[in-house]
């Protein structure tokens, strides 16, 4: 205890003199927006942190980079692979990232023209239809699974087509080789506009859920707690700025500046970014019950080992006022 | 059956291999063709059997083939040319399979050829299991199985050691005695020439021409008897004198080339 | 040289002759597994990244017990079997044609040289467009991957048939078709068979790539799935299955080769 206090004191006093170096693994997607805003608008710097962005090739690589010690923090979507790593004590969630929130539009359901012509025009008609995914255990898989549960039909293994990459998944729905996919924004709108497929609904309207999270290694929490606290504080400030500019009806005064920042990091253009912004909780709060539900669903579908305990996957002590706490 | 080569010439690109050769091998006669290396004697043999098209000249046969002859002009090769994936029996049978024979006729012929060459007990053995001498006996058996009118032997003993060579020469003589086959025999070995030839034709260095012809009067079966030793030595010495200068210049040519 | 006592001549030959040591590979294999297990037990290897042999064995056991192992193997063997048969048969036909006929060779060599180096995995999206995401695209990936090496080996094998054997057959008056059947084809067989070994390994490598496209079952699909789910022990169990499959195919081809080439 004394040791931690000494280390903390050293870190705090050090921050005044020099920036603490840290790093975050992430994908160049709009869902990572709070990190980009935090870096470019000086929120991390204000906490004495110099953050190195480590861009990964796939969502699966992000928690792996934390587990292997290549980065201190990570933000990405929550997958079966993530929970397996978390269950083995390699990563732990500390705050939220993107969320499919009722009333906000992010991922969309896209059906192929062929399926649409056959009458697949509503989100409650996916039973028995071929479904394009990146991988089994991906966020896309989970959404279809929960949708099936809610609508009371059975998602069969045989109707899933794991295509490994988003481009392959998009190509498959355009070519009519699968009936339905979820398209990340703004691709979904673009496909619909180009007549390459039909957008028939939004995920948030049917399966609101905690899509992504900010996480770190349990070891980092144990040994460098003040670092995690400062990081989360800065991240929250960035989330709040994002919320003020994008999620309050009319765009805020800095909206254009933030769009520029996000476009720069996602190698996109501000207009495209604007069309594909996710909902970010203004205080980076998690819907905790949803995390528990995700783990339960993954376990029920044998995607996550039965030994994984939801309580050890999330550390609620860094953000005050988390939502939907489990009883 | 006679073999008649007339006005044969052959070139490989700019190289004249054979200038102009006229040669007749009479029925039942054995002509040995000797010459320095590179003189075109193997080329001439290839032309004689229709495996090479001559640049100029004609190759003809005349006279009747023996009864049951399936392949009048038949080769025996220096490297044996056996199919490694066929047994001794299979290699001999290869020469018969495309001819309209009954199975029993074929089997009889193969068996007779194997008996003649002393290979009966090796019928089911693969070539790699045989010594060089035995392999060339398979080559001989394959040649005699078609009852050839004319044998074309391309340095058939050159790949063998001296003792095996002696044994095979005796076998060859025995076969010729029985079958009365016409033979054109190419070698660079003077002892073979003296032992086997009715006539020895000496070729010049490249471009190959016929330099001289020597008839040997001694009966072939008796040439290794002691009383003929001096005559044989004299014969070989005469052949060597004919060929020595050619060989010396040819050797240098090859080295220069 | 001065007179002196006779000295024995020391032996200085020997060596450089590999002799078979049947037990050595097994011993080495067991030693590696033993060391690995010991390192895991001692906590020197993090089980997250490097599960112990026992953990991998357990994953393999549960895979077998669930009955999924058979389904995965069956799906992969079907794709490898069909894809390899199609690719090797077509490659053999084209390669032999190139070896036998000047026209086929003149056309074939530049075409094969141009198409061989194209990475088949890069063509996956194209295959999806052509063949869809069902079995045809998977079989086509393997077939195309095995086609070119078979062409090259069959062509080379025909080219390497000793010319003196063909001359011999001509000298006995064998018709062309007989020469092809009795001399060229058997003479090309060793080269064709070693080409088969290579193309079978390629088929095994490509099955993982082929099963990237919407496969529910298959050893490759299992490896991809467990990799995505970060189930490293199961991932490695899948890799073990793939290696065993490779060993089995190699052993079968070795037997076939030994029987067909028993004359060697």
């Amino acid at each position: 205890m004394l040791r931690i206090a000494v280390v903390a004191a050293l870190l705090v006093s050090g921050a005044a003199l020099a920036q603490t170096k840290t790093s975050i693994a992430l994908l160049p997607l709009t869902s990572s927006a709070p990190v980009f805003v935090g870096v470019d608008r000086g929120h991390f710097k204000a906490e004495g942190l110099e953050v190195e962005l480590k861009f990964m090739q796939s969502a699966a690589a992000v928690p792996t980079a934390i587990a292997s010690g290549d980065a201190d923090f990570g933000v990405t979507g929550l997958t079966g692979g993530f929970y397996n790593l978390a269950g083995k004590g390699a990563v732990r969630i500390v705050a939220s990232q993107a969320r499919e929130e009722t009333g906000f539009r992010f991922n969309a359901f896209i059906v192929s023209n062929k399926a649409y012509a056959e009458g697949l025009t509503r989100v409650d008609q996916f039973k028995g239809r071929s479904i394009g995914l990146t991988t089994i255990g991906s966020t896309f898989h989970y959404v279809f699974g929960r949708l099936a549960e809610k609508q009371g039909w059975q998602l069969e293994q045989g109707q899933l087509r794991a295509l490994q990459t988003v481009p392959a998944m998009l190509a498959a729905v355009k070519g009519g080789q699968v009936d339905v996919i979820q398209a990340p924004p703004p691709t979904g709108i673009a496909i619909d506009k180009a007549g390459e497929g039909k957008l028939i609904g939004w995920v948030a309207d049917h399966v609101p859920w905690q899509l992504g999270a900010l996480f770190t290694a349990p070891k980092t929490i144990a040994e460098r707690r003040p670092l995690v606290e400062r990081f989360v504080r800065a991240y929250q400030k960035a989330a709040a700025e994002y919320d003020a500019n994008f999620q309050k009806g009319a765009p805020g005064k800095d909206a254009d500046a933030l769009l520029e920042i996000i476009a720069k990091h996602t190698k996109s253009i501000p207009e495209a970014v604007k069309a594909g912004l996710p909902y970010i909780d203004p205080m980076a709060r998690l819907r905790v019950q949803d995390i528990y539900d995700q783990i339960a669903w993954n376990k029920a579908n044998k995607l996550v080992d039965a030994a994984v305990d939801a309580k050890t996957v999330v550390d609620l002590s860094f953000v005050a006022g988390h939502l939907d706490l489990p009883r | 059956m006679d073999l008649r080569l007339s006005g044969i010439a052959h070139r490989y690109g700019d190289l004249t291999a054979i200038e102009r050769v006229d040669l007749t091998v009479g029925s039942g006669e054995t002509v040995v063709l000797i010459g320095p290396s590179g003189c075109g004697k193997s080329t001439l043999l290839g032309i004689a059997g229709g495996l090479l098209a001559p640049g100029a000249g004609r190759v003809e046969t005349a006279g009747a083939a023996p009864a049951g002859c399936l392949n009048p002009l038949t080769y025996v090769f220096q490297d044996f040319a056996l199919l490694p994936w066929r047994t001794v029996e299979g290699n001999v049978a290869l020469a018969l399979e495309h001819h309209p024979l009954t199975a029993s006729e074929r089997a009889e012929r193969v068996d007779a050829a194997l008996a003649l060459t002393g290979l009966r007990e090796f019928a089911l053995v693969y070539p790699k299991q045989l010594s060089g001498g035995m392999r060339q006996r398979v080559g001989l058996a394959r040649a005699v199985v078609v009852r050839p009118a004319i044998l074309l032997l391309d340095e058939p003993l050159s790949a063998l050691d001296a003792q095996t060579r002696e044994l095979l020469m005796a076998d060859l003589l025995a076969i010729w005695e029985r079958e009365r086959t016409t033979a054109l025999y190419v070698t660079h070995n003077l002892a073979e020439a003296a032992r086997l030839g009715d006539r020895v034709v000496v070729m010049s260095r490249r471009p190959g021409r016929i330099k001289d012809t020597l008839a040997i009067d001694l009966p072939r079966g008796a040439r290794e008897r002691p009383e003929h030793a001096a005559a044989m030595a004299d014969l070989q010495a005469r052949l060597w004198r004919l060929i020595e200068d050619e060989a010396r210049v040819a050797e240098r040519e090859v080295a220069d080339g | 040289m001065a007179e002196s006592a006779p000295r024995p001549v020391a032996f200085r030959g020997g060596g450089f002759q590999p002799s078979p040591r049947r037990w050595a590979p097994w011993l080495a294999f067991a030693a590696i597994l033993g060391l690995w297990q010991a390192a895991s037990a001692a906590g020197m290897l993090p089980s997250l990244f490097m599960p112990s042999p026992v953990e991998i064995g357990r994953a393999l056991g549960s895979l077998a017990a669930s009955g999924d192992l058979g389904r995965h193997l069956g799906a992969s063997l079907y794709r490898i079997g069909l894809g390899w048969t199609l690719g090797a048969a077509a490659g053999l036909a084209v390669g032999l044609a190139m070896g036998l006929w000047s026209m086929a060779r003149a056309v074939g060599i530049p075409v094969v040289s141009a198409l061989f180096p194209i990475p088949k995995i890069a063509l996956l999206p194209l295959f999806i467009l052509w063949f869809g995401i069902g079995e045809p695209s998977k079989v086509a990936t393997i077939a195309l991957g095995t086609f070119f090496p078979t062409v090259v080996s069959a062509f080379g094998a025909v080219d390497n048939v000793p010319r003196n054997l063909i001359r011999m057959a001509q000298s006995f008056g064998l018709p062309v078709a007989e020469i092809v059947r009795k001399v060229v084809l058997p003479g090309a067989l060793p080269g064709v068979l070693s080409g088969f070994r290579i193309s079978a390994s390629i088929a095994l490598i490509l099955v993982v790539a082929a099963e990237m496209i919407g496969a529910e079952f298959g050893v490759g699909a299992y490896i991809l799935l467990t990799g995505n789910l970060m189930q490293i022990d199961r991932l490695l169990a899948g890799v073990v299955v793939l290696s065993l499959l490779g060993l089995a195919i190699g052993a079968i081809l070795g037997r076939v080769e030994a029987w067909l080439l028993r004359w060697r």
Side-chain angles (χ1 to χ4, degrees):
Chain A
M1 204 58 210
L2 183 70
R3 217 179 96 218
I4 290 170
V6 169
V7 170
L10 280 174
L11 279 169
V12 171
S13 63
L17 301 169
Q19 298 271 305
T20 307
K21 284 193 175 168
T22 185
S23 57
I24 182 163
L26 72 177
L27 297 173
L29 301 176
T30 54
S31 47
S32 304
V35 178
F36 303 141
V37 170
V39 169
D40 283 32
R41 303 278 287 179
H43 299 301
F44 287 111
K45 205 168 192 175
E47 285 289 342
L49 296 175
E50 187 186 331
V51 178
E52 186 193 351
L53 300 180
K54 294 192 169 178
F55 289 107
M56 300 286 130
Q57 294 296 321
S58 68
V62 176
T64 312
I66 314 306
S68 64
D70 289 312
D72 293 330
F73 298 91
V75 271
T76 190
L78 296 169
T79 64
F82 175 88
Y83 288 120
N84 276 319
L85 275 179
K88 289 187 175 133
V91 286
R92 191 166 292 168
I93 297 172
V94 293
S96 89
Q97 187 216 27
R99 189 153 70 219
E100 293 283 8
E101 185 90 347
T102 314
F104 290 85
R105 290 176 165 183
F106 193 49
N107 283 303
F109 293 108
I110 308 290
V111 298
S112 73
N113 287 327
K114 193 170 121 235
Y116 191 85
E118 288 165 8
L120 180 58
T121 57
R122 293 197 322 271
V123 174
D124 57 0
Q125 294 173 318
F126 297 150
K127 181 178 199 287
R129 289 294 187 161
S130 65
I131 292 172
L133 305 171
T134 48
T135 61
I136 302 294
S138 61
T139 56
F140 300 127
H141 184 194
Y142 175 72
V143 166
F144 280 111
R146 286 306 295 272
L147 189 69
E149 261 180 26
K150 282 195 171 174
Q151 297 175 348
W153 51 278
Q154 189 64 41
L155 184 64
E156 306 283 351
Q157 273 290 312
Q159 68 185 112
L160 303 175
R161 308 276 183 274
L163 302 165
Q164 309 307 322
T165 63
V166 170
M169 192 173 78
L170 298 177
V173 81
K174 287 179 192 173
Q177 277 126 2
V178 297
D179 294 333
V180 58
I181 62 162
Q182 284 165 62
T187 322
I189 299 167
I191 290 177
D192 187 78
K193 272 194 183 145
E196 296 168 321
K198 291 276 186 299
L199 192 158
I200 62 163
W202 299 93
V203 172
D205 296 339
H206 301 271
V207 187
W209 71 295
Q210 185 66 56
L211 176 57
L214 170 70
F215 45 87
T216 185
K219 193 168 170 246
T220 309
I221 294 176
E223 294 173 8
R224 300 159 71 194
R225 189 171 181 91
L227 171 72
V228 181
E229 286 170 352
R230 285 154 65 201
F231 193 96
V232 173
R233 263 201 309 274
Y235 183 84
Q236 283 179 301
K237 281 180 201 152
E241 189 174 20
Y242 178 96
D243 178 67
N245 281 288
F246 297 127
Q247 296 175 170
K248 296 289 187 215
K253 62 177 171 58
D254 295 325
D256 288 341
L258 297 195
L259 284 176
E260 287 284 350
I261 290 167
I262 301 165
K264 181 186 87 182
H265 288 288
T266 56
K267 304 216 169 15
S268 181
I269 50 170
E271 296 78 64
V273 168
K274 199 175 178 184
L277 288 175
Y279 179 79
I280 305 279
D281 187 276
M283 294 157 73
R285 294 165 303 187
L286 292 159
R287 288 202 180 278
V288 183
Q289 181 60 50
D290 188 62
I291 305 275
Y292 279 51
D293 291 347
Q294 289 183 36
I295 294 171
W297 182 88
N298 274 295
K299 281 187 190 174
N301 285 278
K302 297 193 163 55
L303 301 172
V304 166
D305 296 334
V308 174
D309 180 4
K311 285 190 203 72
T312 67
V313 169
V314 201
D315 188 326
L316 301 176
S317 64
F318 293 95
V319 171
H322 280 298
L323 309 166
D324 299 346
L325 290 175
R327 273 152 285 138
Chain B
M1 196 183 254
D2 291 1
L3 175 66
R4 292 175 192 164
L5 307 173
S6 40
I8 302 293
H10 195 71
R11 301 170 68 86
Y12 292 108
D14 291 340
L15 210 73
T16 305
I18 301 167
E19 200 158 60
R20 187 189 158 77
V21 169
D22 296 286
L23 174 66
T24 298
V25 187
S27 188
E29 186 190 21
T30 297
V31 170
V32 176
L33 203 57
I34 64 169
S37 37
C39 75
K41 51 192 191 294
S42 286
T43 302
L44 194 63
L45 199 71
I47 291 169
L51 287 180
L52 273 175
R58 278 200 321 276
V59 184
E60 293 166 323
T61 58
C69 172
L70 295 174
N71 192 47
L73 290 154
T74 298
Y75 281 90
V76 175
F77 298 94
Q78 178 178 3
D79 57 11
F80 323 135
L82 302 179
L83 302 181
W85 52 87
R86 282 187 173 226
T87 59
V88 166
E89 195 176 64
N91 267 287
V92 176
L94 178 80
L96 300 178
E97 286 166 1
H98 58 291
H99 291 291
L101 297 173
T102 65
S104 63
E105 279 173 331
R106 193 181 300 163
E108 263 170 46
R109 274 186 179 237
V110 171
D111 189 59
L114 293 181
L116 190 66
T117 46
L119 287 168
R120 242 185 177 153
E121 58 200 285
F122 299 99
L124 299 178
V125 158
Y126 286 101
K128 70 152 188 196
Q129 297 166 279
L130 295 173
S131 68
M134 294 304 276
R135 286 183 204 182
Q136 192 53 295
R137 284 194 174 88
V138 180
L140 281 175
R142 183 178 59 194
V144 301
V145 82
V146 294
R147 296 197 194 133
I150 300 165
L151 271 181
L152 303 165
L153 303 104
D154 187 7
E155 308 214 22
L157 309 183
S158 296
L160 306 175
D161 64 76
Q163 292 161 20
T164 310
R165 207 178 294 161
E166 284 296 326
L167 295 173
L168 267 139
M169 272 196 268
D171 285 6
L172 269 175
L173 287 172
I175 291 168
W176 286 336
E177 218 52 52
R178 260 180 71 154
E179 310 281 321
R180 303 266 162 214
T181 321
T182 309
L184 181 57
Y185 187 112
V186 165
T187 184
H188 59 260
N189 183 303
L190 302 184
E192 280 175 41
R195 276 281 293 286
L196 299 175
D198 294 316
R199 266 192 301 152
V200 178
V201 173
V202 180
M203 282 186 76
S204 69
R205 67 177 185 273
R206 197 175 56 223
R209 284 170 288 103
I210 290 177
K211 187 179 183 182
D212 211 339
T213 304
L214 244 77
I216 305 174
D217 298 332
L218 289 166
R220 284 194 300 200
R223 287 179 195 173
E224 77 272 47
R225 286 199 200 139
E227 62 264 38
H228 298 309
M232 289 299 286
D234 181 51
L235 185 63
Q236 281 194 44
R238 277 165 62 201
L239 286 175
W240 176 238
R241 274 195 297 280
L242 281 171
I243 215 169
E244 184 177 8
D245 292 341
E246 303 290 342
R248 220 177 276 289
V249 179
E251 183 191 23
R252 199 151 304 171
E253 258 178 33
V254 171
D256 287 350
Chain C
M1 201 192 260
E3 192 82 12
S4 65
R7 272 190 299 262
V9 176
F11 174 67
R12 51 184 173 176
F16 299 99
Q17 269 184 325
S19 56
R21 299 258 191 279
R22 286 192 156 277
W23 45 268
W26 298 104
L27 200 70
F29 193 61
I32 290 168
L33 280 185
L35 274 176
W36 180 0
Q37 184 65 42
S40 293
M44 288 158 67
L45 293 173
S47 78
L48 182 60
F49 296 118
M50 200 70 202
S52 72
V54 169
E55 282 174 288
I56 295 169
R58 212 176 283 139
L60 198 57
S62 68
L63 182 65
S66 71
D68 278 352
L69 180 61
R71 268 190 287 272
H72 290 307
L73 267 177
S76 289
L77 280 175
Y78 166 79
R79 287 164 194 146
I80 292 172
L82 190 60
W84 181 80
T85 306
L86 289 175
L92 193 59
V94 171
L96 293 180
M98 280 169 63
L100 291 171
W101 293 298
S102 309
M103 192 64 195
R105 176 179 308 209
V107 175
I109 288 179
V111 172
V112 169
S113 309
L115 298 182
F116 195 179
I118 296 174
K120 312 308 171 264
I121 295 170
L123 291 183
L124 274 180
L126 202 56
F127 286 177
I128 298 178
L129 287 178
W130 291 346
F131 304 112
I133 54 174
E135 292 303 311
S137 61
K138 300 176 185 66
V139 172
T141 306
I142 296 173
L144 199 71
T146 53
F147 172 76
F148 289 106
T150 313
V151 169
V152 171
S153 66
F155 165 59
V158 171
D159 228 29
N160 280 333
V161 174
R163 294 295 114 173
N164 68 326
L165 295 183
I166 293 171
R167 258 169 69 98
M168 179 276 294
Q170 289 173 326
S171 83
F172 281 97
L174 269 74
V176 172
E178 294 275 284
I179 293 177
V180 170
R181 193 164 67 83
K182 291 176 180 171
V183 180
V184 176
L185 294 186
L189 192 60
V192 167
L193 287 176
S194 68
F196 278 178
R197 264 178 189 275
I198 294 168
S199 62
S201 318
I202 290 173
L204 216 55
I205 292 169
L206 284 178
V207 78
V208 179
E211 289 174 356
M212 285 175 74
I213 328 164
E216 188 187 349
F217 289 108
V219 180
Y222 180 77
I223 289 173
L224 288 165
L225 168 73
T226 52
N228 283 318
L229 290 177
M230 285 292 159
Q231 296 167 323
I232 308 300
D233 51 344
R234 292 179 212 179
L235 165 69
L236 288 176
V239 171
V240 168
V241 171
L242 208 58
S243 324
L244 291 178
L245 199 58
L247 281 175
I249 291 176
I252 291 169
L253 281 178
R255 284 285 171 85
V256 170
E257 205 174 270
W259 183 75
L260 284 175
L261 305 181
R262 58 193 178 282
W263 47 270
R264 284 217 286 205

